[in-house]
Amino acid sequence: MSEWLDVGADNYVLVTEGSLLNTGLIVGSERAMVVDTGCGPRQGREILDAVREKTSLPLVVVNTHAHYDHFFGNAVFASDGATEFWAHENCAQEIDDHGDLQRRFVGTLEPEMSTGEGENVELVVPNAIVKDQPVLVDLGGITVTLFYLGRGHTDGDLLVGTPTTLFVGDLVEQGAHPSFEDSYPEEWADSLRHISALRHRYEFLIPGHGQPCSDQFVKTMANTMTTAVRQAQQSIRETPTDATKAIPVLPYGPEQSRWFIKRLQETRPLH
Ligand SMILES: [Zn+2]
């Protein structure tokens, strides 16, 4: 059984098995907010059951970005009465346009989600939208700030700030290499520096997966990424026909390095 970790007054983190997803819970006096819902009805149910051990208040949901392990559990929360699902506009658009394509990734973990047959397998597209300006959500006695720092892990990463804690989704990953599949590597490093600049405002920094992180961890992640961008760009310049030559020198695993180079080439500003 998963256990809650206390991260500041009325702030909690639940780690669920599998990808070690961190789900946030912020409990106000009138409502509670759940940050990321898991990869289907099974994990969603596990998360909801754990939430219900903590609070019986009405729930609002946040999806930090449009990767299946962060939003495929939404329908379970809708069936529990949640009607407000927050996300960045690009995340909501991506879920609406291509969310179904991610069903193939869940496989045997969530067979119902993968086939789309069963209870709570429909996609719930976020309907409460954050754009470039921060949005304050009042839970009663505690106000949560939802904000966007630009492109990074995806083009729609939403951050969730409370008086004590910053939930950053997969912009920061602890215990695994960052995932570059839908990323904007150059801009991601900037977003990490921006997170680091906020360090005095929050006591706890919660990544999308893994242990709570220090500011030093975020700075190192940013510097590593900037160095990797430089190394990969040099390789691309030197051997434009085979940029994969950069893979051995990059500070990531081979598969992630391959994605890193691909995304760098696809997303380079034209200058
Ligand atoms: Zn992700």
Side-chain angles (χ1 to χ4, degrees), residues 64-70 153-154 157 169-171 173 179 181-182 188 208-209:
T64 56
H65 63 289
H67 284 157
Y68 66 94
D69 49 332
H70 299 261
H153 174 66
T154 67
D157 301 296
D170 289 359
L171 282 169
E173 244 187 270
S179 298
E181 285 89 331
D182 300 313
W188 191 348
H209 306 266

Side-chain angles (χ1 to χ4, degrees), residues 82-146:
T83 56
E84 202 173 299
F85 292 80
W86 287 93
H88 184 262
E89 59 177 339
N90 295 342
C91 167
Q93 191 69 52
E94 175 65 20
I95 291 173
D96 201 15
D97 291 347
H98 307 296
D100 274 314
L101 294 175
Q102 295 190 51
R103 288 184 188 275
R104 62 198 155 133
F105 298 134
V106 296
T108 53
L109 270 180
E110 296 270 0
E112 298 83 3
M113 200 65 197
S114 131
T115 58
E117 284 167 19
E119 216 178 320
N120 297 326
V121 296
E122 64 277 15
L123 294 189
V124 175
V125 179
N127 55 5
I129 299 302
V130 179
K131 299 185 179 178
D132 288 344
Q133 294 303 313
V135 170
L136 304 184
V137 181
D138 181 11
L139 303 176
I142 185 167
T143 299
V144 177
T145 308
L146 306 179

Side-chain angles (χ1 to χ4, degrees), residues 6 60-61 72 91 95 99 114 118 152 155-156 189 192 205 219 230:
D6 286 21
V60 295
V61 170
F72 268 11
C91 167
I95 291 173
S114 131
D155 66 357
L192 289 169
L205 191 147
K219 278 189 184 140
R230 223 175 282 137

Side-chain angles (χ1 to χ4, degrees), residues 24-83:
L25 175 66
I26 305 135
V27 182
S29 60
E30 290 158 23
R31 306 191 289 172
M33 178 179 279
V34 174
V35 183
D36 288 338
T37 59
C39 63
R42 295 176 187 222
Q43 193 178 16
R45 171 60 56 186
E46 184 186 343
I47 293 168
L48 177 62
D49 287 348
V51 166
R52 285 302 176 215
E53 285 173 15
K54 282 277 179 208
T55 177
S56 55
L57 289 171
L59 302 175
V60 295
V61 170
V62 177
N63 298 131
T64 56
H65 63 289
H67 284 157
Y68 66 94
D69 49 332
H70 299 261
F71 74 88
F72 268 11
N74 282 3
V76 172
F77 289 82
S79 76
D80 185 69
T83 56

